[in-house]
Structure formats: C-alpha cells, structure tokens
Amino acid sequence: MIALYTETFEEFLKRQGQSEEWKALETKFAKFPTFTLGDLSFDMYQLFVEKYEIYEIGAEDENLFYHIMNDKVNELSIKYIPKIQLYIQNFGQALERKLNLGSNGDTMNYLYPISTESGQVATRVHYDGNKDSALLIFKSNAELLEQAMNLKDIYLDCLKEFENCFMLMY
C-alpha cells in the first residue's frame, strides 16, 4: 500500500526501524510481559507492529511521531505493565474453587493462670498445618465457565490504546 500524502507505519519502520530513537522505544516495549499460553506466545511489540503496519502514522513528521509514541509507551507502561504481570501470574488460578489456609503457633495453659509472666506451664499444644477450604461452592461449572469467558482482555486493551497514534487508511 502506498499512501498519497502520508506514510504508513510499515514504510516508517523500513526507513526508521533501525534508528537510535526507535531502538529505544523497542527497549521500552520489551518491558511489557510476554503472554504465554500453551504453544502460543505473544510479545507486545510484535503484536503492535502487526496490528498497525497498514495504518498511517498519526503525525505530520517522523520526529513528532517519535515523541507521540514515546509518550504513549511511557503512559501505557505505567498503566498496564503491573496489571498484565498480575493478570498473567493469576490467570491459571482464576477459577480455582479452593483456598489454602495455613496456620501455626502454640497454645499454653498455665498451672497458676493469675500470673503468666513467670508461671509454670501445665500443658502446651503446638499446631502447624494447612487446610484446603472450599470456595465458591454455590457456583456451578457452567457459571464458572461463563465468568471465565468474561475475563478482561487486558493485553488486547493495552494494544488498542495505541490506536490514537495512527490514522486508518481508507
């Protein structure tokens, strides 16, 4: 595709993809966590390039585009990197139906309970253990599956927020 008055992101990358400024942006993109699910692995920068390569850059010149992109990457890094990390860490546990409760400590009974500071211990019981407790016992498998389908697509939401840096070719 050839734009008549502007340039596409693909053309921009052909000319400026190896520049210092763009390499600095790629380094910032590398801080976004990679989403891996089974055989699939998604890198934010690669998804970004593939999605927006046919869009026109949304600036009058390349230097302004660098500035706009740098600001947007900084903004979205602050907004999404911690959220994406939490999302990925907890993705597999989102539909678990149990909660592990752990506890340990001592229970002491004193011979003369009026003064426990220097009193003599009559009995001491030490407890240490873990117990799985049921959680969400009132939800059916179908209801849990429906909730899984409604999980937020945080990775795609982040990718979509780059849209205002581009113009769509018509």
Side-chain angles (χ1 to χ4, degrees):
M1 283 185 187
I2 297 174
L4 298 176
Y5 302 103
T6 60
E7 71 181 300
T8 63
F9 184 50
E10 183 179 31
E11 293 166 348
F12 170 83
L13 286 178
K14 284 178 186 173
R15 281 202 311 277
Q16 302 294 333
Q18 300 304 315
S19 68
E20 265 184 55
E21 294 92 352
W22 195 256
K23 288 296 179 189
L25 276 175
E26 281 186 44
T27 303
K28 289 182 180 184
F29 265 103
K31 293 180 182 176
F32 283 92
T34 301
F35 187 83
T36 304
L37 185 63
D39 309 8
L40 302 172
S41 184
F42 298 103
D43 176 68
M44 184 62 76
Y45 181 72
Q46 193 59 40
L47 287 173
F48 168 74
V49 170
E50 289 174 9
K51 179 172 176 78
Y52 294 109
E53 67 185 354
I54 63 168
Y55 284 60
E56 295 174 342
I57 64 172
E60 294 175 5
D61 65 12
E62 292 173 348
N63 289 330
L64 184 57
F65 183 66
Y66 282 125
H67 180 74
I68 292 169
M69 282 301 303
N70 189 50
D71 283 350
K72 185 54 88 172
V73 171
N74 288 340
E75 174 189 326
L76 296 182
S77 294
I78 292 167
K79 183 176 180 181
Y80 281 103
I81 288 176
K83 292 177 185 177
I84 291 172
Q85 287 172 341
L86 278 172
Y87 184 80
I88 290 171
Q89 288 169 359
N90 294 304
F91 186 78
Q93 301 157 352
L95 298 176
E96 284 192 12
R97 293 180 147 190
K98 61 184 176 182
L99 179 66
N100 187 287
L101 303 173
S103 63
N104 62 17
D106 290 319
T107 300
M108 291 186 254
N109 294 316
Y110 291 92
L111 194 56
Y112 301 107
I114 295 172
S115 174
T116 58
E117 286 183 26
S118 60
Q120 189 176 8
V121 176
T123 59
R124 178 178 179 222
V125 177
H126 177 76
Y127 54 92
D128 186 12
N130 292 317
K131 176 184 174 188
D132 286 337
S133 179
L135 186 66
L136 295 174
I137 57 175
F138 300 112
K139 297 249 183 203
S140 69
N141 287 343
E143 289 172 318
L144 286 175
L145 185 59
E146 181 182 352
Q147 287 183 346
M149 296 301 148
N150 291 329
L151 284 176
K152 190 165 180 60
D153 300 322
I154 193 163
Y155 218 73
L156 297 176
D157 291 347
C158 179
L159 189 62
K160 186 171 176 56
E161 287 210 35
F162 284 102
E163 250 178 26
N164 64 357
C165 298
F166 299 95
M167 298 180 286
L168 183 61
M169 285 180 41
Y170 295 101

